Amino acid sequence: MSRTPLDTVEHAAGTPDVELPWAELGLKKDEYERVVEILGRRPTGAELAMYSVMWSEHCSYKSSKVHLRQFGEKAPQSDALLVGIGENAGVVDVGQGYAVTFKVESHNHPSYVEPYQGAATGVGGIVRDIIAMGARPVAVVDPLRFGAADHPDTKRVLPGVVAGIGGYGNCLGLPNIGGEVVFDACYQGNPLVNAGAIGVMRHEDIHLAKASGPGNKVILYGARTGGDGIGGASILASETFDDAKPSKRPAVQVGDPFQEKLLIECTLEAFAEKLVVGIQDLGAAGLSCATSELASNGSGGMRVTLDDVPLRDSTLSPEEILMSESQERMCAVVEPSKVDRFLEICDKWDVIATVIGEVTDGDRLEIFWHGGKIVDVDPRTVAHDGPVYERPYARPHWQDALQADDANKLPRPTTPEELKSQVLRLVSSPNQASKSWITSQYDHFVQGNTVLAQPEDSGMIRIDEESGLGVAIATDGNGRYTKLDPYHGAQLALAEAYRNVATTGAKPLAVSDCLNFGSPEDPAVMWQFAEAIRGLADGCLQLGTPVTGGNVSLYNQTGEAAIHPTPVVAVLGVIDDVARRTPVAYREEGQLLYLLGDTREEFGGSAWSQVVHDHLGGLPPQVDLERERLLGEILISASRDGMIDSAHDLSDGGLIQAVVESALLGDKGARLVVPDELDAFTFLFSESAGRAVVAIPRSEELRFNDMCGARGLPATRIGVVDGSASDAVVEVQGEFTLTLSELRTAHEDTIPALLA
Amino acid sequence: MTARIGVVTFPGSLDDRDSRRAIRLAGAEPVALWHKDKDLKQVDAVVLPGGFSYGDYLRAGAISRFSPVMGTVIEQAKSGMPVLGICNGFQILTEAHLLPGGMLGNDHLHFICRDQKLKVENAETAWTADYESGQEIHIPLKNMDGRYVADERTLDMLEAEGRVVFRYVVGGDTSHGHGHVNPDGYGNPNGSLRDIAGITNEAGNVVGLMPHPEHAVEPLVGSGRTDGLPFFTSILKKLVNA
Amino acid sequence: MARVVVDVMLKPEILDPQGQAVQRALPRLGFEGISDVRQGKRFELEVDGPVDDTALARIHELAESFLANTVIEDFTVKVEEVAEAGK
Amino acid sequence: MARVVVDVMLKPEILDPQGQAVQRALPRLGFEGISDVRQGKRFELEVDGPVDDTALARIHELAESFLANTVIEDFTVKVEEVAEAGK
Ligand SMILES: Nc1ncnc2c1ncn2[C@@H]1O[C@H](COP(=O)(O)OP(=O)(O)O)[C@@H](O)[C@H]1O
Ligand SMILES: [Mg+2]
């Protein structure tokens, strides 16, 4: 078997005419030419492998960068922000010396191909981002979107995704404290599997992805490297460098949560002993990304011997090793005197760890294979100087017609019976129904610090046992609203997540997002994307909550049909004492129900318009972020001062949905009176933003009213908590009465019936 | 004087820290034990915590059972040292044959997490003395492999000897299936034979159960109830009075 | 009545955490000389009627579309002697 | 190098919900005539050196003490032809 000579830097310089398969690797002609220009010669195969993955849309954000800049440019002044956009995840100061890091990412496409493993490795990836910041992961969340609930493929995708998220997260010992499940035909073929994680550390433990200090060692640890996720590199290996047939490469990655659990524990132990100078997880683009980012963020260069990488598959070529996306690996930079101790800790946890290189005092990233130098690049050109596109965008021609198709003009229920039956249809519709069939497959008790989990408005974790300091997180996104108006739709997602956090009594501090859109090459999609980012950045500025990081997922489309633009927004909040948290469930009979905020006739994009009329048109609810902030302040004060016993924000499904949920959770009934200025239909189904329903002990009514009055927040008494257990009802006076058990059946049987 | 209670950490243990917290809250001294050490550091009792040791990849508990620490635990348990196995710990105890029977995947094939209603059947063991026989309690349950099975003869023996310590309370409204937010936590959550949730050995010093008492020791977190605390006060009293 | 066995194994290039966990435990148990372990699934199907080519073809189809996930798994179908299972 | 296969199945008297789930799905997939399905595990062990009686005896021991839990499972050990796996 004759083998062509190793494509070293020297070889490349001497063979300028060799054709490389840059197009197969996804590079455009001008991108390839830039690589040649940067290097002053043709790249080696290994260099081409690195540039091509690092300059991909996924790693370089080439289509989105110009828009994402707004998150930095418009960032509000915030004392809380310790680490902003650009690192593995942002870090926020939550007081008492604690810092919290959190981030949301997508694993959409892999989860469609292989739901279980795709979702599982999605959780694995986001958790490694959190560890890489120096934090102990303390919780995960999973915003999910699927095709129509009754579509046969949903029965394949959803149970697999849920089992995968549970299988991985449960095995890692991370409580799952929130998320979303949305069904819409637009996600058929493009389900959205987003996963978020939160980690906690002391301020002094923050770690960054940078390699500094010449002589420091680069240690790769965790799983062995296999041929995962390297379709492109295999082309390179077979066509140019080897006469043998390419060996088979996995089409799908299998996650190993046990390995990741060991990785968490041994990394945290190394942090605790202050052994780590810089650290990076291996995710997309594997070693290409880890080495070039570590090197370019640090002060020096880096030299790596690829032969030292422990392999699962001995047939891998160097290009493949560089591109491999095998899961459960990390890369640490460690001072020489601490290497032995680092390796000892890895050994204690049965984690394979290998020194693969060192930091140099030059400014080049050099990689060797079988004694030859196969990479010699300025790492910044790989990691940071990727192409940037100003993709054309244009408001789609159909946008006006869509907005003109006013949902407020749809036929409304005319009799109490009709109203009642539409309430039942709403609370039993897949999007509004209880998700407990799903969430009961997630551990929410593990780690012993879960204060609130599903189905509360936000998840809440205690982070200090003594003081009761805690953090809360909620994720929201409404593709229907965003389709109607991307700018305001994104703001509504932000507003809802913000409101959900405040409703539980926590003060919103910071934002992470996962922007799920169609193809950036479609100007209409690009317009949605640009508008959504503009809306989100403006909104964050106004609410004082900086975006600390996030993720962009493009090309979520089948043929011409893109998904609804779906920015998912996660808001992180802090609460001084978790004993003050406000839950959703009604707790005591006799407590008064108050509706906070203004209710308008707003049905565009509403759950009612979807469930009853299968309609999407008009304008989404009005956005008033000042009102959101005021509402948030009132909810937080009320919780701190013990004025409210239950609170639930109003969002899709409107007031009746919220009341039914609070009633079912507390096993208590509610009697409602329609306020004079509203008709019953609008009162029950409108989705006006900036609202919540609270339950107030009678003794607090005066004080609470005074507070709202003084600060100018409309507060309307709408009823009372009444009736317990089996004989309880939800009654809308003069309209209808539904028993809790009727409502429970409607609300809780839908999802099991579709999926079990 | 207080009692020293060891909590073993296996690779993949998840609730080890929580078990230590529960021990501390009960007033005893928690001692961290490591699976590779034979040495039990002179503890008076041992808790094998929940989690997915070795990923539960072969069978839950099957690999941990062969760890060095288990050699000593098995030996000491046979001479009377109190041992509590929670969830994965229970699975390890059956794999180690310190308790009869075995654990299999839940009959509905899903992971299940909920606040489960249990009946205390035996309040005489080292770990349950602070309960009353017949008492109904709520303890969080979360597992993939929670289905207790044994042959009929073994089951009959367990019943006859009063060695079923906890049973899932069946009844109430369970018509909504396992995914139902059943506020009362009724029902057999995994298909365990005779609704068995926990058992003990002949001497009553070794107890294993699937639900997690360490997640029900503080009113604010976990299930928000404290029904699990008596496990840890029971053992403390027993050891201190011994 | 006949028994058809479908064995489903992860494709060789796919990571097999289960097999690895077993293999890593072997030295601790005092077993040497086993260089690789893979863990898969075995389905035993009791088929009414004769297991002719048509029946086998259908079971093959069943294995391909349902019992195995051919994105990550390979499978084999074979008719088994009706011997008593057991050790 | 040789391959030894250990098949592990739940004892017949123990409920096998995975097998049942497969069986229940069959009519939906249009498969009739399969009266029972059981799902178990298959371990493929690559053994260095010859698979003689001593080696087999040790693997039997391994299966009995480790790969199977004989309280609930039965197992069989067999040496496999070194044919290519695959469908
Ligand atoms: N996939 C999921 N994983 C975890 N929790 C979920 C998931 N889907 C929904 N939830 C939880 O169920 C509850 C209701 O969800 P949702 O109706 O979307 O809340 P909201 O309208 O308040 O944003 C929330 O507590 C949410 O966190
Ligand atoms: Mg909410």
Side-chain angles (χ1 to χ4, degrees):
Chain A
M1 188 173 95
S2 77
R3 209 190 143 95
T4 41
L6 181 63
D7 194 28
T8 59
V9 170
E10 206 178 6
H11 181 254
T15 53
D17 298 332
V18 169
E19 278 289 315
L20 293 179
W22 47 265
E24 285 88 335
L25 287 171
L27 286 178
K28 297 278 186 311
K29 186 154 201 301
D30 55 326
E31 292 172 347
Y32 179 68
E33 281 163 1
R34 262 204 62 211
V35 172
V36 175
E37 187 189 312
I38 287 170
L39 295 173
R41 57 173 164 79
R42 77 155 171 93
T44 65
E47 287 165 343
L48 182 66
M50 291 184 78
Y51 279 104
S52 69
V53 297
M54 290 301 290
W55 287 13
S56 67
E57 183 66 62
H58 185 75
C59 293
S60 74
Y61 291 84
K62 56 191 169 192
S63 302
S64 51
K65 227 179 215 167
V66 293
H67 300 284
L68 293 173
R69 283 188 190 129
Q70 292 175 63
F71 291 141
E73 289 157 9
K74 294 182 188 166
Q77 263 330 91
S78 164
D79 301 336
L81 195 61
L82 299 175
V83 175
I85 293 182
E87 280 290 335
N88 284 311
V91 182
V92 181
D93 176 15
V94 295
Q96 300 178 17
Y98 287 101
V100 169
T101 179
F102 74 119
K103 190 177 175 190
V104 189
E105 267 192 1
S106 67
H107 228 216
N108 301 340
H109 185 66
S111 303
Y112 179 65
V113 177
E114 213 307 288
Y116 185 101
Q117 297 298 343
T121 51
V123 174
I126 187 68
V127 168
R128 282 193 299 283
D129 272 326
I130 297 303
I131 320 172
M133 297 309 300
R136 174 177 280 281
V138 296
V140 294
V141 297
D142 62 328
L144 308 175
R145 280 154 185 81
F146 302 99
D150 55 359
H151 190 288
D153 200 42
T154 301
K155 240 186 142 125
R156 170 186 75 95
V157 177
L158 187 150
V161 163
V162 168
I165 288 169
Y168 207 100
N170 296 339
C171 188
L172 285 190
L174 296 179
N176 184 312
I177 59 168
E180 298 163 80
V181 178
V182 175
F183 300 94
D184 193 299
C186 77
Y187 304 112
Q188 206 77 62
N190 294 282
L192 303 184
V193 175
N194 295 175
I198 314 182
V200 176
M201 69 202 118
R202 305 291 302 173
H203 284 194
E204 60 273 19
D205 291 335
I206 296 175
H207 280 73
L208 299 178
K210 65 178 186 198
S212 24
N216 285 346
K217 300 298 179 192
V218 179
I219 300 178
L220 177 66
Y221 64 111
R224 289 173 182 278
T225 298
D228 304 284
I230 54 173
S234 304
I235 300 172
L236 194 61
S238 61
E239 291 195 359
T240 29
F241 304 103
D242 203 334
D243 50 357
K245 287 241 157 62
S247 33
K248 286 191 181 167
R249 300 298 179 226
V252 165
Q253 303 208 42
V254 168
D256 182 352
F258 171 60
Q259 174 72 249
E260 179 126 325
K261 168 68 179 167
L262 300 183
L263 212 52
I264 296 177
E265 296 302 333
C266 87
T267 305
L268 291 174
E269 209 167 309
F271 286 152
E273 295 190 21
K274 312 236 174 291
L275 303 179
V276 180
V277 177
I279 187 159
Q280 172 72 298
D281 60 298
L282 273 74
L287 269 174
S288 294
C289 178
T291 53
S292 64
E293 288 198 345
L294 279 168
S296 62
N297 296 342
S299 49
M302 186 184 285
R303 186 183 305 123
V304 171
T305 307
L306 223 45
D307 309 73
D308 293 337
V309 172
L311 299 181
R312 191 172 91 225
D313 172 352
S314 59
T315 69
L316 292 181
S317 70
E319 296 81 10
E320 291 176 317
I321 297 170
L322 280 170
M323 280 175 105
S324 164
E325 297 188 349
S326 288
Q327 302 287 310
E328 292 98 20
R329 298 178 300 161
M330 306 272 295
C331 205
V333 178
V334 178
E335 287 172 20
S337 63
K338 294 181 173 167
V339 166
D340 285 347
R341 181 62 192 140
F342 187 93
L343 297 179
E344 220 170 86
I345 291 174
C346 289
D347 185 56
K348 169 182 171 188
W349 288 98
D350 300 323
V351 169
I352 299 173
T354 316
V355 175
I356 60 164
E358 63 180 30
V359 179
T360 59
D361 53 13
D363 55 5
R364 308 293 286 179
L365 170 60
E366 299 168 298
I367 299 180
F368 294 84
W369 175 253
H370 292 359
K373 191 197 283 187
I374 55 169
V375 172
D376 183 354
V377 296
D378 173 350
R380 265 153 291 263
T381 64
V382 179
H384 297 312
D385 301 342
V388 175
Y389 290 140
E390 301 255 4
R391 302 248 189 222
Y393 57 88
R395 190 170 197 269
H397 60 87
W398 42 258
Q399 196 75 34
D400 287 337
L402 183 68
Q403 293 185 345
D405 182 13
D406 190 355
N408 288 357
K409 301 202 173 110
L410 294 167
R412 302 181 179 186
T414 51
T415 63
E417 287 69 43
E418 229 184 314
L419 196 62
K420 172 173 166 175
S421 90
Q422 292 191 1
V423 166
L424 278 176
R425 279 173 71 187
L426 186 86
V427 299
S428 63
S429 67
N431 281 336
Q432 309 305 318
S434 164
K435 303 302 185 308
S436 68
W437 185 86
I438 290 161
T439 57
S440 70
Q441 297 183 48
Y442 302 147
D443 186 346
H444 36 257
F445 296 115
V446 63
Q447 293 195 9
N449 284 312
T450 306
V451 179
L452 298 176
Q454 310 86 348
E456 298 289 350
D457 280 330
S458 67
M460 189 180 286
I461 295 285
R462 178 179 66 183
I463 62 178
D464 188 289
E465 267 182 65
E466 297 285 298
S467 67
L469 181 69
V471 293
I473 190 168
T475 71
D476 281 293
N478 188 318
R480 285 165 56 82
Y481 290 169
T482 314
K483 174 109 186 224
L484 297 179
D485 179 345
Y487 181 90
H488 290 107
Q491 293 196 333
L492 284 163
L494 169 67
E496 187 180 345
Y498 182 98
R499 195 187 316 133
N500 274 317
V501 165
T503 304
T504 56
K507 179 177 166 8
L509 280 186
V511 165
S512 176
D513 62 63
C514 189
L515 306 173
N516 306 277
F517 288 78
S519 166
E521 293 162 39
D522 175 348
V525 169
M526 212 49 216
W527 175 79
Q528 294 173 329
F529 184 70
E531 283 293 284
I533 289 185
R534 197 168 64 82
L536 187 54
D538 288 348
C540 286
L541 179 58
Q542 202 176 342
L543 286 174
T545 50
V547 175
T548 64
N551 178 248
V552 175
S553 172
L554 300 176
Y555 297 100
N556 294 290
Q557 74 179 62
T558 311
E560 293 292 288
I563 59 164
H564 290 341
T566 312
V568 168
V569 179
V571 169
L572 180 90
V574 62
I575 181 165
D576 297 337
D577 183 358
V578 294
R580 287 293 175 209
R581 86 266 178 267
T582 312
V584 160
Y586 295 148
R587 281 196 277 197
E588 265 178 53
E589 288 187 61
Q591 294 197 341
L592 303 171
L593 296 176
Y594 267 78
L595 167 62
L596 310 181
D598 288 306
T599 303
R600 292 173 287 265
E601 291 195 38
E602 295 188 298
F603 300 98
S606 67
W608 173 81
S609 70
Q610 182 178 34
V611 171
V612 176
H613 296 285
D614 191 17
H615 176 273
L616 177 59
L619 289 174
Q622 212 171 294
V623 180
D624 179 349
L625 295 176
E626 280 317 315
R627 170 55 64 79
E628 297 290 352
R629 190 212 296 274
L630 175 61
L631 175 69
E633 282 170 8
I634 295 275
L635 288 166
I636 295 164
S637 304
S639 96
R640 188 177 309 124
D641 298 346
M643 284 185 248
I644 56 180
D645 261 10
S646 150
H648 200 356
D649 86 300
L650 303 194
S651 57
D652 45 338
L655 179 132
I656 190 62
Q657 174 75 20
V659 168
V660 166
E661 286 174 0
S662 293
L664 289 178
L665 265 177
D667 229 3
K668 302 270 181 305
R671 295 189 193 280
L672 303 178
V673 183
V674 181
D676 291 341
E677 66 278 14
L678 291 174
D679 64 279
F681 169 74
T682 305
F683 173 60
L684 296 177
F685 289 112
S686 164
E687 295 188 4
S688 294
R691 298 184 305 157
V693 169
V694 295
I696 306 176
R698 282 176 194 271
S699 57
E700 300 296 329
E701 186 181 17
L702 205 60
R703 195 155 70 114
F704 183 81
N705 259 324
D706 284 351
M707 175 172 71
C708 292
R711 301 175 72 168
L713 181 72
T716 316
R717 184 161 152 179
I718 56 160
V720 61
V721 178
D722 184 31
S724 224
S726 57
D727 58 340
V729 299
V730 170
E731 177 191 359
V732 180
Q733 255 173 41
E735 299 289 340
F736 62 82
T737 301
L738 282 160
T739 67
L740 273 201
S741 86
E742 262 175 296
L743 286 166
R744 194 177 296 287
T745 302
H747 189 57
E748 293 175 358
D749 284 3
T750 304
I751 301 292
L754 281 163
L755 298 170
Chain B
M1 184 215 104
T2 182
R4 286 161 55 82
I5 303 179
V7 177
V8 180
T9 298
F10 299 96
S13 289
L14 304 179
D15 304 308
D16 44 345
R17 289 188 303 157
D18 306 355
S19 297
R20 295 203 298 268
R21 180 195 288 128
I23 289 166
R24 179 164 47 74
L25 289 173
E29 181 191 345
V31 178
L33 302 176
W34 180 241
H35 72 115
K36 285 181 186 168
D37 293 339
K38 286 201 170 110
D39 180 15
L40 297 188
K41 299 188 186 165
Q42 286 157 346
V43 295
D44 306 303
V46 166
V47 173
L48 305 180
F52 285 83
S53 60
Y54 293 96
D56 280 359
Y57 287 156
L58 174 58
R59 281 181 314 280
I63 299 181
S64 301
R65 169 249 180 284
F66 288 101
S67 59
V69 78
M70 280 307 293
T72 320
V73 169
I74 291 171
E75 205 179 281
Q76 301 272 314
K78 285 182 176 158
S79 48
M81 185 182 67
V83 177
L84 174 65
I86 302 170
C87 193
N88 203 230
F90 183 20
Q91 293 156 342
I92 294 171
L93 290 173
T94 61
E95 285 284 340
H97 305 302
L98 282 174
L99 293 174
M103 308 301 307
L104 285 168
N106 298 336
D107 58 356
H108 46 76
L109 305 176
H110 297 289
F111 188 94
I112 179 166
C113 175
R114 73 175 193 191
D115 199 14
Q116 174 69 40
K117 189 159 199 167
L118 297 180
K119 183 170 176 203
V120 181
E121 298 275 4
N122 176 343
E124 323 264 274
T125 77
W127 300 91
T128 54
D130 275 358
Y131 291 107
E132 299 195 354
S133 178
Q135 190 181 342
E136 293 193 341
I137 58 177
H138 280 90
I139 305 280
L141 175 89
K142 46 183 197 120
N143 61 66
M144 189 73 213
D145 298 307
R147 177 166 52 116
Y148 181 75
V149 295
D151 57 35
E152 286 294 312
R153 209 180 49 81
T154 306
L155 293 171
D156 289 342
M157 172 190 77
L158 287 173
E159 305 267 12
E161 296 175 1
R163 288 166 54 191
V164 174
V165 184
F166 297 100
R167 236 186 273 272
Y168 301 116
V169 179
V170 182
D173 175 16
T174 54
S175 58
H176 296 268
H178 81 273
H180 166 57
V181 188
N182 181 334
D184 299 320
Y186 282 112
N188 180 332
N190 46 32
S192 284
L193 295 177
R194 306 205 189 167
D195 304 319
I196 288 174
I199 57 176
T200 184
N201 64 345
E202 266 181 81
N205 63 313
V206 179
V207 171
L209 81 165
M210 284 316 292
H212 288 258
E214 80 282 14
H215 289 314
V217 294
E218 291 179 273
L220 256 183
V221 292
S223 67
R225 310 191 210 229
T226 55
D227 293 7
L229 206 51
F231 272 85
F232 306 97
T233 54
S234 295
I235 189 70
L236 178 61
K237 273 186 209 156
K238 180 179 166 76
L239 293 173
V240 170
N241 296 338
Chain C
M1 221 178 62
R3 171 178 298 170
V4 177
V5 173
V6 179
D7 286 322
V8 177
M9 301 296 293
L10 284 171
K11 289 177 193 281
E13 66 272 20
I14 301 264
L15 174 72
D16 174 11
Q18 298 189 310
Q20 278 196 355
V22 171
Q23 197 196 340
R24 286 209 206 170
L26 295 180
R28 257 185 293 127
L29 303 179
F31 283 88
E32 306 288 341
I34 292 180
S35 62
D36 192 26
V37 179
R38 311 264 311 162
Q39 178 176 338
K41 295 178 203 158
R42 173 185 169 89
F43 296 90
E44 296 183 352
L45 315 178
E46 307 301 331
V47 182
D48 305 333
V51 183
D52 50 18
D53 282 357
T54 335
L56 271 182
R58 304 208 56 219
I59 290 176
H60 196 277
E61 205 184 307
L62 174 70
E64 181 153 28
S65 61
F66 188 61
L67 300 180
N69 175 353
T70 52
V71 181
I72 52 175
E73 294 169 326
D74 290 328
F75 64 90
T76 56
V77 176
K78 50 180 186 277
V79 185
E80 201 176 63
E81 308 302 310
V82 189
E84 260 306 79
K87 38 173 178 163
Chain D
M1 220 177 64
R3 173 178 296 172
V4 178
V5 173
V6 179
D7 286 323
V8 176
M9 301 297 293
L10 283 175
K11 287 180 188 285
E13 66 272 21
I14 293 187
L15 175 73
D16 171 16
Q18 289 186 307
Q20 286 196 343
V22 171
Q23 200 194 338
R24 269 199 310 271
L26 295 180
R28 245 192 298 131
L29 301 171
F31 284 87
E32 306 288 340
I34 292 179
S35 61
D36 192 25
V37 180
R38 312 263 309 160
Q39 179 175 339
K41 294 178 205 161
R42 172 184 170 91
F43 297 90
E44 296 183 352
L45 315 179
E46 307 300 332
V47 182
D48 304 333
V51 183
D52 50 18
D53 282 357
T54 334
L56 271 181
R58 301 208 57 217
I59 291 177
H60 197 277
E61 204 184 307
L62 175 69
E64 181 155 28
S65 62
F66 185 56
L67 298 180
N69 176 352
T70 52
V71 174
I72 45 183
E73 295 166 325
D74 292 327
F75 66 90
T76 57
V77 176
K78 50 180 185 277
V79 184
E80 201 177 64
E81 306 302 307
V82 189
E84 260 305 79
K87 39 172 180 163

